[in-house]
Amino acid sequence: MLTQIINGRILTPQGWLKGGSVIVDGGRIAEVSNTDYLIEGADVVDAKGCDIVPGGIEMHVHGGGGRDFMEGEEEAFRTAVDAHMQYGTTAIYPTLSSSTVPMIEKAAETCGRLMAEEGSPIMGLHLEGPYFNMKQAGAQIPEWIKAPVAAEYEPLLEKAECLRRWDEAPELEGSIDFIKACRAHGVLPSIGHTRATYDEVHAANEAGMTHATHFYNAMPVVYKNREFKTPGTVESIFAEENMTVEMIADGIHVPPVMLRMIYQIKGVERTALITDALACAASKDDTAFDPRVVLEDGVCKLADRSALAGSIATMDRLVRTCVQQAGIPMADACRMISETPARIMGICDRKGSLQRGKDADIIMFDGQMQLPFVMQYGRIVKNNL
């Protein structure tokens, strides 16, 4: 059965298209046409003047709808994924904070099984730790933080076929071997929770670490060593031109002026938006999965207020924050939730843009930048037009 979406402004790789239509056949886009001539027999969706854009790809998210991916249970995965889908996330990489090997194995088994389902929004597993710098632990569980252990990570890389990304602090002993092992297994190594110097960032980048986890968070900026200035991890990442970054665009983790600055320096092609959301996101539950965390001032914090601990943001909020608070053009904000993460994660053959043959992951923003419509793999999961 064909579905034809008309009467909206369509974001294509060439820019905005007015007066056209998106034709969906099953789970894929059959055509993006420059005409809205109605196809006989097609189900018509009237966008009513909305912006029609590619669905959001969430690279870094810990949970939602009251459930956390660290639980490892199928119900937790489905609940969190479905909750975020209502807010524009049509492809997702479930994220585990620093965890034990049994926890990782349990989550990997669940993730792999759900990934195998036809049209699944789950693209793979993301491990945030436990190989981090204790001085930048943030909300990570300190008892589980350590330097890379080859006897631990090598079997996981071999067995967990769903694993797509692993975050690590490259100043730790054994980091270069870890980075190379990740690359050898098709896993993206990302720098995070770190105090890496420029030389350490550069060496890691040369070894294959090309992405930065929640940029500006859990990493130092320029500091003084006696009378001399030393580049922080942030400036070092800016200096590595090929490194991509992700930013928590809730307007709190990274203030709007800094969101704009990152966008201006790294550019839309190297900047992705993430939520880094916890279980209380996309939920009426105001408690986090982690009992150490409290929800306050529209963000998750450690109870002692020593650090931010994750967000309650959803995909639509990321776009609104960038456009309304950081002054980023709508087209670029939408590309940073779709095209850029698709390229970073190596799924741009299927996801990230509205083009013939790609998965029919489509969302819409109305004139108030609210999200009335979500389609995932050709299935309408939200329609408040």
Side-chain angles (χ1 to χ4, degrees):
M1 173 62 97
L2 294 179
T3 300
Q4 185 176 13
I5 304 173
I6 63 168
N7 194 23
R9 187 173 68 153
I10 304 166
L11 182 60
T12 75
Q14 293 75 39
W16 292 108
L17 172 64
K18 298 180 180 179
S21 63
V22 181
I23 302 160
V24 174
D25 187 0
R28 304 195 187 280
I29 297 172
E31 189 66 72
V32 178
S33 173
N34 59 7
T35 176
D36 58 3
Y37 178 80
L38 295 182
I39 299 172
E40 185 176 354
D43 286 341
V44 176
V45 174
D46 185 349
K48 298 181 180 178
C50 288
D51 285 342
I52 304 166
V53 302
I57 300 171
E58 176 59 90
M59 296 174 56
H60 187 154
V61 56
H62 296 276
R67 304 300 296 268
D68 194 291
F69 294 118
M70 286 180 76
E71 298 176 61
E73 303 286 349
E74 179 176 330
E75 183 184 357
F77 269 65
R78 292 193 187 278
T79 297
V81 170
D82 288 348
H84 279 284
M85 199 179 298
Q86 292 295 314
Y87 296 89
T89 296
T90 55
I92 192 167
Y93 290 87
T95 303
L96 305 187
S97 294
S98 295
S99 303
T100 64
V101 170
M103 292 171 68
I104 295 171
E105 290 176 334
K106 180 179 180 181
E109 190 279 328
T110 299
C111 185
R113 179 159 32 84
L114 297 182
M115 280 176 68
E117 296 178 354
E118 174 69 19
S120 175
I122 298 176
M123 297 289 102
L125 189 65
H126 166 209
L127 300 181
E128 188 186 6
Y131 308 137
F132 285 149
N133 189 320
M134 184 66 77
K135 292 180 180 179
Q136 295 289 163
Q140 301 285 321
I141 296 176
E143 293 82 3
W144 294 340
I145 292 178
K146 64 185 89 169
V149 180
E152 183 177 84
Y153 67 71
E154 287 177 351
L156 286 170
L157 288 169
E158 288 286 345
K159 292 190 297 183
E161 295 183 1
C162 67
L163 188 55
R164 296 291 183 269
R165 172 179 161 189
W166 204 332
D167 303 352
E168 189 252 4
E171 66 270 27
L172 303 177
E173 185 178 355
S175 289
I176 298 300
D177 288 340
F178 170 80
I179 292 167
K180 291 180 177 179
C182 285
R183 280 297 184 186
H185 288 83
V187 174
L188 174 69
S190 181
I191 181 172
H193 292 269
T194 177
R195 296 193 65 82
T197 64
Y198 173 73
D199 288 343
E200 290 161 341
V201 171
H202 182 70
N205 188 17
E206 290 283 297
M209 184 174 271
T210 58
H211 187 65
T213 301
H214 46 47
F215 193 44
Y216 265 97
N217 294 109
M219 58 182 67
V221 297
V222 61
Y223 56 92
K224 288 190 72 174
N225 184 3
R226 295 184 58 178
E227 68 270 36
F228 300 106
K229 292 182 179 65
T230 300
T233 308
V234 167
E235 291 79 20
S236 302
I237 291 167
F238 273 133
E240 297 294 304
E241 292 186 15
N242 71 316
M243 287 197 77
T244 56
V245 300
E246 62 188 30
M247 49 191 197
I248 307 172
D250 61 357
I252 301 172
H253 278 81
V254 184
V257 67
M258 292 166 64
L259 294 175
R260 182 168 180 81
M261 183 180 72
I262 297 166
Y263 159 77
Q264 289 173 332
I265 295 173
K266 278 296 183 181
V268 65
E269 294 85 3
R270 292 189 176 92
T271 307
L273 308 183
I274 61 162
T275 64
D276 193 14
L278 300 191
C280 47
S283 171
K284 295 180 180 178
D285 188 349
D286 61 0
T287 59
F289 174 74
D290 188 337
R292 303 172 304 145
V293 172
V294 296
L295 176 59
E296 185 179 79
D297 300 324
V299 72
C300 296
K301 307 176 182 179
L302 289 181
D304 64 3
R305 278 72 175 177
S306 62
L308 298 179
S311 86
I312 58 170
T314 50
M315 189 63 66
D316 56 335
R317 178 175 167 185
L318 306 182
V319 176
R320 280 195 298 274
T321 299
C322 283
V323 174
Q324 296 176 341
Q325 298 183 41
I328 294 172
M330 179 66 173
D332 284 353
C334 290
R335 288 175 66 194
M336 290 192 292
I337 66 166
S338 55
E339 175 190 323
T340 303
R343 187 184 307 111
I344 292 170
M345 298 307 298
I347 57 171
C348 55
D349 59 326
R350 296 176 49 198
K351 306 282 186 181
S353 58
L354 302 183
Q355 291 176 279
R356 179 193 298 176
K358 292 199 176 184
D359 291 352
D361 294 345
I362 303 169
I363 62 177
M364 299 185 197
F365 286 93
D366 64 20
Q368 288 71 49
M369 293 205 66
Q370 298 303 308
L371 191 86
F373 182 90
V374 178
M375 172 183 283
Q376 191 272 326
Y377 200 68
R379 178 174 61 99
I380 297 174
V381 298
K382 179 179 182 179
N383 189 356
N384 294 331
L385 291 166

